[in-house]
Coordinates of all heavy atoms in Angstrom, one line a residue:
A185 N -21.0 48.9 -53.0 CA -20.1 49.9 -53.5 C -19.4 50.8 -52.4 O -20.1 51.2 -51.5 CB -20.7 50.8 -54.5
P186 N -18.2 51.1 -52.5 CA -17.5 51.9 -51.5 C -17.9 53.4 -51.7 O -18.4 53.8 -52.8 CB -16.0 51.8 -51.9 CG -16.0 51.4 -53.3 CD -17.2 50.6 -53.6
A187 N -17.8 54.1 -50.6 CA -18.2 55.6 -50.7 C -17.2 56.4 -51.4 O -17.6 57.4 -52.0 CB -18.5 56.1 -49.2
D188 N -15.9 56.1 -51.2 CA -14.9 56.9 -51.9 C -15.0 56.9 -53.4 O -15.2 55.9 -54.0 CB -13.5 56.3 -51.5 CG -12.3 57.0 -52.2 OD1 -12.0 58.1 -51.7 OD2 -11.8 56.4 -53.2
T189 N -14.9 58.1 -54.0 CA -15.1 58.3 -55.4 C -14.2 57.4 -56.3 O -14.7 56.7 -57.2 CB -15.0 59.7 -55.8 OG1 -15.9 60.5 -55.0 CG2 -15.3 59.9 -57.3
A190 N -12.9 57.4 -56.0 CA -12.0 56.7 -56.8 C -12.2 55.2 -56.6 O -12.2 54.4 -57.6 CB -10.5 57.0 -56.4
A191 N -12.4 54.7 -55.4 CA -12.7 53.3 -55.1 C -14.0 52.9 -55.8 O -14.1 51.8 -56.3 CB -12.8 53.0 -53.6
R192 N -15.0 53.8 -55.8 CA -16.3 53.4 -56.4 C -16.1 53.3 -57.9 O -16.7 52.4 -58.5 CB -17.3 54.5 -56.1 CG -18.7 54.3 -56.7 CD -19.7 55.4 -56.4 NE -20.1 55.2 -55.0 CZ -21.3 54.8 -54.6 NH1 -22.1 54.4 -55.5 NH2 -21.5 54.7 -53.3
A193 N -15.3 54.1 -58.6 CA -15.0 54.0 -60.0 C -14.4 52.6 -60.3 O -14.7 51.9 -61.3 CB -14.2 55.1 -60.5
A194 N -13.4 52.3 -59.5 CA -12.7 51.0 -59.6 C -13.7 49.8 -59.4 O -13.6 48.8 -60.1 CB -11.5 50.9 -58.7
F195 N -14.6 50.0 -58.4 CA -15.6 48.9 -58.2 C -16.5 48.8 -59.4 O -16.8 47.6 -59.8 CB -16.4 49.3 -56.9 CG -17.4 48.4 -56.5 CD1 -17.1 47.2 -55.8 CD2 -18.8 48.6 -56.9 CE1 -18.1 46.3 -55.5 CE2 -19.8 47.7 -56.5 CZ -19.4 46.5 -55.8
T196 N -17.0 49.9 -59.9 CA -17.9 49.8 -61.1 C -17.2 49.2 -62.3 O -17.8 48.4 -63.0 CB -18.4 51.2 -61.4 OG1 -19.1 51.8 -60.3 CG2 -19.4 51.1 -62.6
D197 N -15.9 49.5 -62.5 CA -15.2 48.9 -63.6 C -15.1 47.4 -63.4 O -15.2 46.6 -64.3 CB -13.8 49.6 -63.7 CG -13.0 48.9 -64.8 OD1 -13.4 49.2 -66.0 OD2 -12.0 48.3 -64.5
G198 N -14.8 47.0 -62.1 CA -14.7 45.6 -61.8 C -16.1 44.9 -62.1 O -16.1 43.8 -62.6
C199 N -17.1 45.5 -61.7 CA -18.5 45.0 -61.9 C -18.7 44.8 -63.4 O -19.3 43.9 -63.9 CB -19.5 45.8 -61.3 SG -19.6 45.7 -59.5
H200 N -18.3 45.8 -64.2 CA -18.4 45.8 -65.7 C -17.7 44.6 -66.2 O -18.3 43.8 -67.0 CB -17.9 47.1 -66.2 CG -18.2 47.3 -67.7 ND1 -18.0 48.5 -68.3 CD2 -18.6 46.4 -68.7 CE1 -18.3 48.4 -69.6 NE2 -18.7 47.1 -69.8
R201 N -16.5 44.4 -65.8 CA -15.7 43.2 -66.3 C -16.4 41.9 -65.9 O -16.5 40.9 -66.6 CB -14.3 43.3 -65.8 CG -13.5 44.5 -66.2 CD -13.4 44.6 -67.7 NE -12.5 43.6 -68.3 CZ -11.2 43.7 -68.5 NH1 -10.6 44.8 -68.2 NH2 -10.5 42.7 -69.0
L202 N -16.8 41.9 -64.6 CA -17.5 40.7 -64.1 C -18.7 40.3 -64.9 O -18.9 39.2 -65.4 CB -17.8 40.8 -62.6 CG -18.7 39.7 -62.0 CD1 -17.9 38.4 -62.0 CD2 -19.0 40.1 -60.6
I203 N -19.6 41.3 -65.1 CA -20.9 41.0 -65.8 C -20.7 40.7 -67.3 O -21.4 39.9 -67.9 CB -21.9 42.1 -65.6 CG1 -23.3 41.7 -66.0 CG2 -21.5 43.4 -66.4 CD1 -23.8 40.5 -65.2
R204 N -19.6 41.3 -67.9 CA -19.4 41.0 -69.3 C -18.9 39.5 -69.4 O -19.4 38.8 -70.3 CB -18.3 41.9 -69.8 CG -18.1 41.7 -71.4 CD -17.3 42.9 -71.9 NE -16.0 43.0 -71.4 CZ -15.2 44.1 -71.4 NH1 -15.7 45.2 -72.0 NH2 -14.0 44.0 -70.9
G205 N -18.1 39.1 -68.5 CA -17.7 37.6 -68.5 C -18.9 36.8 -68.2 O -19.1 35.7 -68.8
M206 N -19.7 37.1 -67.2 CA -20.9 36.4 -66.9 C -21.9 36.3 -68.1 O -22.5 35.3 -68.3 CB -21.6 37.0 -65.7 CG -20.9 36.8 -64.4 SD -21.6 37.8 -63.0 CE -23.2 36.9 -62.8

Side-chain angles (χ1 to χ4, degrees):
D188 176 77
T189 301
R192 181 177 286 255
F195 179 82
T196 302
D197 180 67
C199 287
H200 189 166
R201 300 298 293 267
L202 174 61
I203 195 58
R204 189 166 61 198
M206 290 172 63

